[in-house]
Amino acid sequence: MFNQFSSTAETLSKASAVMLRIGTDAHLYDDPEDVNIAPLLDSKFESEKCEALKRLLALIAQGFDVSNFFPQVVNNVASHSSEVKKLVYLYLLHYAEKRPNEALLSINYFQKDLGDPNPLVRAWALRTMAGIRLHVIAPLALAAVGKCARDPAVYVRKCAANALPKLHDLRLEEHASDIEELVGILLNDHSPGVVGAAAAAFTSICPNNFNLIRRNYKKLCQILPDVEEWGQILLIGTLLRYVVARHGLVRESLMLSIHGLDNNGFCEKDDLVRDLTLDKGDDGNSDSVDSDLVRVVSKCYIEGPDEYLSRSSFPDTVSSVFHSKETTSIAHNEDVKILLQCTSPLLWSNNSAVVLAAAGVQWIMAPLEDVKKIVKPLLFLLRSSTASKYVVLCNILVFAKAVPSLFAPHFENFFIYSSDAYQVKAHKLEMLSLIATTSSISSILREFEDYIKDPDRRFAADTVAAIGLCAKRLPTIPTTCLDGLLALVRQESFAGDLESMDGEAGVLVQAVMSMQTIIERDPLSHEKVIIQLFRSLDSIKVPSARATIIWMVGVYCSLGHIIPRMLATITKYLAWSFKSEASETKLQILNTTAKVLISAEVDDFQMLKRIVVYVLELGECDLSYDVRDRTRFLKKLLSCKLACHEPADDSVAQEKNSAHVVEHVFGRKLKPFSPSAMHDRFYLPGSLSQIVLHAAPGYEPLPKPCSFVFEEQDQLSALDSQRDAAADLDGSQESSETGDEDGSSDYDSESSIGSEFSSNGDERTISNDANDPAAPLIQISEISVSTDQEELRSKRALDLWLDEQPSTSSQTSSALNSNQSSYAKISIGDIGSRVKPKSYSLLEPGNGNGLKVDYGFLSEVATISPLHVCVEVLFENSSEEPIVEVNLEDEEAMKVSDSSEQTLVGKANASYNNVPTIIPMEEISCLEPRQSAKRLIQVRFHHHLLPMRLTLHYNGKKVPVKLRPDLGYLVKPFSMSIEEFLATESRLPGMFEYSRRCSFTDHVKDSRMENGKDKFLSICESITLKVLSNSNLHLVSVDLPVANTLEVATGLRLRFSSKILSSEIPLLITITVEGKCTEVLKLTVKINCEETVFGLNLLNRIANFLVEPSSSTTS
């Protein structure tokens, strides 16, 4: 009407929206495709970088793919601004799985940030490393978590606990024990925030490793009230599972006091059970405790799916009692007391889930007199949100089914509000029908009268069903309920066409079914009610309600004195209305007439028989095949009755053939269906499974009682044996010199006591010692490089890296001096001539028209630049025609590298940007049939995992090929002495040190072992040949413990050294052998290197080719 006012209102709305956005980052969502992001990321101002990163995160929040900015974002990971660094980490965490190769290049920055003084930066770096779900950096991430688990900042330790489940999801079986050890360390933390996160990690990683809980049980109970709310939920569940597994259920608890134990335990109900029992009243009824249901609930809490299915199939074969050995008494168990005391205050927590978890502990473990304390906290939760209210009601229903008297005095709390959701209303109705007593039923029925008038007719129908349940439970009110239900039936039956009124038909059907439920208890006293229902059939139009009433007439046709006299009238009415009835009503008419005929008296038999015959004839002509089939079945079944003239005229033969079947089917009154409690399924309080009523993913029942047995005596004896062993070791050091001489006599070599390292540089020329016939095969010397010492040295460096107390290092130093043992230095000799590099296929003859191209990496160092690798290419003509103009060149597309790849590797190779990717090879002018030619090329790989795209020219054709890098040849040999090796190794501990175990079988196939050659030397040669044939390394030393016998190779150690071509960073490899000489050996490959990504990939490469069997045996 007044357009100017509407425009003014719109303007004011926009103005107010703008005012609200002032000072916020909401403007970032206005231009999702802003082209200015890329220049801002490369800006030299931190504020502009921060603005660009915020825009990227806003685009991610809106669902845009901004992964094309990944290289530029990675360049900013080294920023000194904490805000920029935080935003970069958020971006990397989102796209790391999509761009794993590029994300790996920023690992070194993450490592540096782990040592940043700012704890937030350390935490962000750890979160990002753990979020990159790649197996290749999993050991590195595990080492970072181990470091951060001991960080002085609480937030960093909490992030370490949150990172453990992510590492566990990668299925690192070889590091499972290390992850569990870190969980134990974090559970012992003094910070409640860290303990909550550690409890979540424990639940995800090792929920059944109760030994970790045993060490810190009392501390965890004491810190429980201070843990954050969601951590309290998991910690309560963990502590409950531990107590049940360690001590079993409590004898005084509700779970056991109701039904007792077997002969070895107790089996009497005490006075505490009677305290929960309501006064029986005049009718002598008591619904205080359902002992059968309590027994089933206690079994369901600790049984798995297989046991439940077994109990459902064979309920009589499953014992429902617990042995006394599976229980404990709260009076003599401090662990149970502490758990109950610590969870009691949490019943009044602000978090509904915490209250349910604490109530579950009290419900399962608390004595009977203390179970009542869970009632008021649970009722208080009914004032919370609708979703929480529904979850709480689902759990309260279980408690009320088992012990209705707990909530009976508080029935008013379950009265229904108009604002309640339908699911909440349905649960409250069920609760009211469960806890109704003779003193409260009058108030409850008055409420039900109002609920029946509710506009939601589905809810009204549920209310009518609840009235029937109340009348069935309380025998003093059936008459009152029946009168009200009859009035409701008359009211609903005259309401008009119920089929057109949504929900009204359901109310009528439910009213009739509730009356049927009440009549079943005492049908003789309610005979007139059945007659009144039958008289209402003319006004009742709902087929289900009519069928139910007709069914009641058939079931109670011989009951009392009124119904039998009215059977003729009833059957005439049913026969008259048969044609107009629905199919389900017709089926009940057929059944009812058959029952009436069977129970007919002599006076009415002939008339009833004619009516039944008439009804059967109508049924045979019905349109429904169900009705026709039922008619034929009954006609055949009643043939004995229809053929006789009097009810008692049945012949003996007829009685034997059919009369018995008829009486069995129609003459016996069937019992109403009531599901047995043995088939109910219950789940732990507060679990999702209790809401959805099936085992949700991740649901675990309580462990078997007393399944976790910790033998303290065994632990003490183990400690004593360790002390005895240490004493024996100290005593044996005096005779170690004699033992060494005896051990060395098995080898025909010299023994010298002193330093292992020769001043003449024997270690530097170890491969040439065999050329001198006088050189000994094995040299024995006292060295400080034993297995124990290496572990101690590694631990000492790690402790220094973690900034631990200097006292630890002093202890380590003293341990180093006290654990020296003798090692023998083995000289292998000139093994380089026997090394055969592995060959790879570049082009198969089928794809190259007969041209076969293979290539292999050489150990020679390229002369062009340190980045190049020498590759020998073999061209072979397998066809019958000559091949001309054969050449291998760099692909044209590679000359202009991808921008993202240049950005990532450009900084690392800045000094070699002018170096060509491949040195052109000399062209092969002609290759005759069956002729081959070799060419040496020098190539530069842009990444140690990415193949190089080349173009093969021959006969005027161009074929694209891929030259894949071999990690073993992206390093060059680096000669060093054993002293230099150990010194370099000590500087690369912690996250720069990673290992992997594998098996080795080549020595078993070596034929020289059968010719009397030394077994240790054969093993060393086999391992060395395998390593040097697949990588370009320098053999530093081979050591063997002198104390070993001739059959045991455990402790044999080979050391290799090298440098990475691209960065000149040292890379050390140590291979340790375990096992017997004639069996499969277990090798532990350890790499020390600052380039962690390259080192981890090389570690996997070495472990893989060591496992592979050799194609031929060594000669």
Side-chain angles (χ1 to χ4, degrees), residues 149 153-158 161 186-187 189-199:
V154 174
Y155 183 66
V156 178
R157 299 199 301 273
K158 182 178 179 180
L186 293 169
L187 283 174
D189 199 275
H190 58 82
S191 172
V194 179
V195 172

Side-chain angles (χ1 to χ4, degrees), residues 21-36:
R21 294 157 65 93
I22 294 178
T24 65
D25 293 329
H27 66 282
L28 299 174
Y29 295 88
D30 295 337
D31 46 0
E33 298 181 359
D34 194 345
V35 297
N36 297 324

Side-chain angles (χ1 to χ4, degrees), residues 286-417:
S286 173
D287 287 330
S288 62
V289 178
D290 189 341
S291 59
D292 292 335
L293 188 62
V294 171
R295 184 181 298 111
V296 173
V297 169
S298 61
K299 294 296 291 185
C300 286
Y301 284 167
I302 62 174
E303 69 180 1
D306 296 337
E307 295 173 321
Y308 166 69
L309 294 175
S310 176
R311 176 169 61 82
S312 301
S313 303
F314 307 99
D316 297 334
T317 62
V318 180
S319 174
S320 60
V321 296
F322 295 93
H323 197 274
S324 59
K325 295 181 179 179
E326 299 176 351
T327 63
T328 184
S329 176
I330 191 173
H332 305 93
N333 196 307
E334 292 296 329
D335 288 350
V336 177
K337 287 183 180 179
I338 295 175
L339 178 61
L340 294 176
Q341 291 173 0
C342 294
T343 54
S344 293
L346 299 181
L347 289 172
W348 297 102
S349 173
N350 294 327
N351 191 305
S352 302
V354 176
V355 176
L356 275 179
V361 174
Q362 302 290 330
W363 170 257
I364 296 173
M365 304 298 292
L368 283 175
E369 66 271 14
D370 294 336
V371 173
K372 295 180 180 179
K373 67 172 63 175
I374 71 173
V375 175
K376 290 186 178 180
L378 293 176
L379 295 177
F380 184 78
L381 294 181
L382 295 179
R383 299 178 176 88
S384 56
S385 63
T386 302
S388 300
K389 191 184 303 183
Y390 174 75
V391 174
V392 173
L393 280 172
C394 289
N395 290 273
I396 291 179
L397 272 174
V398 179
F399 302 154
K401 287 179 181 179
V403 189
S405 59
L406 279 177
F407 298 91
H410 311 279
F411 66 93
E412 294 180 350
N413 291 272
F414 300 99
F415 285 171
I416 296 169
Y417 300 96

Side-chain angles (χ1 to χ4, degrees), residues 996-1009:
R996 181 175 171 182
R997 292 174 61 86
C998 62
S999 58
F1000 186 74
T1001 59
D1002 286 5
H1003 67 289
V1004 179
K1005 304 177 182 178
D1006 196 342
S1007 59
R1008 291 172 300 175
M1009 295 180 64

Side-chain angles (χ1 to χ4, degrees), residues 1020-1032:
C1020 296
E1021 289 182 352
S1022 300
I1023 297 176
T1024 304
L1025 281 175
K1026 197 65 173 288
V1027 172
L1028 297 183
S1029 298
N1030 292 272
S1031 55
N1032 195 12

